[in-house]
Amino acid sequence: HTLEHIDEVGEFADDIVAVTNGQPSVQVMFETPDAERVLAEGAFWDIYHEHCSYFTIGSHARLLRRAGLNVSHSRLAYQGQYIIQYGSPGTGNPLPEEDDLDRILMLSDAFPDRVSEARENWINRVRDTYESGKRVAIWGGGSKGVSFLTTNKLGREIDHVIDINVHKQGKHMPGTGHVVSAPEVLQRCPPDLVIVMNPVYLSEVRSALAEMDLQPEVVAV
């Protein structure tokens, strides 16, 4: 999770190849967010200004191959959210999954409409819940939560932002100013709807709520 934060990404890849000293026995591994999933889902909550680049399996591999690394293996991890790609100095034939440009162009064309639809659905759901007198909590005070709140311009509609990271608790969310709280705060103000910012943690969040004897509706972005 470094490559997407580098502005001169081509030079960075060249530097990494130089460090390997051209030894085929040296293996390099990168893990970066998968842009194809972001495009396909209209996942606006995964778009951050700190990311200089977004990669698909194909564009990731083309970057490494141009720098002199042969990509030997690619896979998706973390429920399809991240690309993991392995390479070593040398040349080789592209893997079949690297041929994704036409598919990505189609997804890119449809992305604005997907984002508009996703935003409308979430805004309506949150505001309808709030206006009916119920409480909404966001579980996840990281970058996904920030992007979800600021892009949708959600303020008083959100009763709490929850995060288990003690270093975030008591701090404020950028842009909206929501205070980040520990899960235990929900025992005093039981939520009716909890929106989990990463589906990987959906079952974990449900278990944590059940341990507090709370049974809200729990959904993930």
Side-chain angles (χ1 to χ4, degrees):
H1 292 271
T2 298
L3 195 62
E4 66 270 23
H5 294 273
I6 303 298
D7 53 355
E8 298 294 343
V9 68
E11 292 182 12
F12 184 71
D14 291 341
D15 288 343
I16 288 175
V17 174
V19 170
T20 68
N21 204 28
Q23 298 297 317
S25 60
V26 177
Q27 192 166 75
V28 179
M29 186 275 282
F30 288 95
E31 179 176 320
T32 55
D34 178 32
E36 183 170 353
R37 179 196 61 83
V38 174
L39 293 171
E41 294 182 6
F44 61 88
W45 51 86
D46 279 318
I47 303 293
Y48 323 123
H49 71 274
E50 296 94 343
H51 286 184
C52 305
S53 301
Y54 279 83
F55 297 95
T56 66
I57 284 180
S59 65
H60 198 285
R62 287 187 285 275
L63 168 70
L64 301 187
R65 290 185 186 281
R66 187 180 68 175
L69 290 173
N70 176 41
V71 177
S72 59
H73 180 59
S74 298
R75 65 185 176 92
L76 296 176
Y78 219 64
Q79 293 190 6
Q81 293 184 42
Y82 302 124
I83 299 166
I84 295 181
Q85 206 157 73
Y86 299 86
S88 55
T91 59
N93 295 321
L95 303 171
E97 60 266 28
E98 296 175 31
D99 184 16
D100 61 2
L101 187 56
D102 290 341
R103 185 170 68 255
I104 299 305
L105 288 172
M106 291 178 59
L107 289 172
S108 297
D109 288 341
F111 184 64
D113 289 338
R114 290 184 186 275
V115 169
S116 295
E117 181 181 358
R119 285 193 60 208
E120 182 179 6
N121 289 340
W122 280 114
I123 291 170
N124 289 341
R125 182 164 194 177
V126 170
R127 288 184 176 164
D128 288 347
T129 303
Y130 169 76
E131 289 171 1
S132 67
K134 297 179 179 179
R135 293 190 178 101
V136 182
I138 297 293
W139 196 297
S143 50
K144 293 177 188 287
V146 172
S147 190
F148 184 86
L149 293 172
T150 55
T151 304
N152 289 333
K153 297 178 171 60
L154 295 172
R156 60 182 181 179
E157 298 93 345
I158 304 301
D159 197 56
H160 283 102
V161 174
I162 303 300
D163 203 290
I164 63 172
N165 187 339
V166 295
H167 299 292
K168 293 179 181 179
Q169 294 165 8
K171 308 297 194 303
H172 294 77
M173 296 288 280
T176 63
H178 292 88
V179 177
V180 180
S181 302
E184 290 73 24
V185 74
L186 299 179
Q187 292 178 301
R188 299 194 302 270
C189 304
D192 299 285
L193 173 64
V194 175
I195 303 174
V196 181
M197 289 294 103
N198 194 322
V200 169
Y201 303 117
L202 194 56
S203 58
E204 179 182 319
V205 170
R206 284 180 172 146
S207 296
L209 291 165
E211 288 176 5
M212 293 185 288
D213 201 25
L214 299 172
Q215 296 181 329
E217 180 182 5
V218 183
V219 295
V221 293

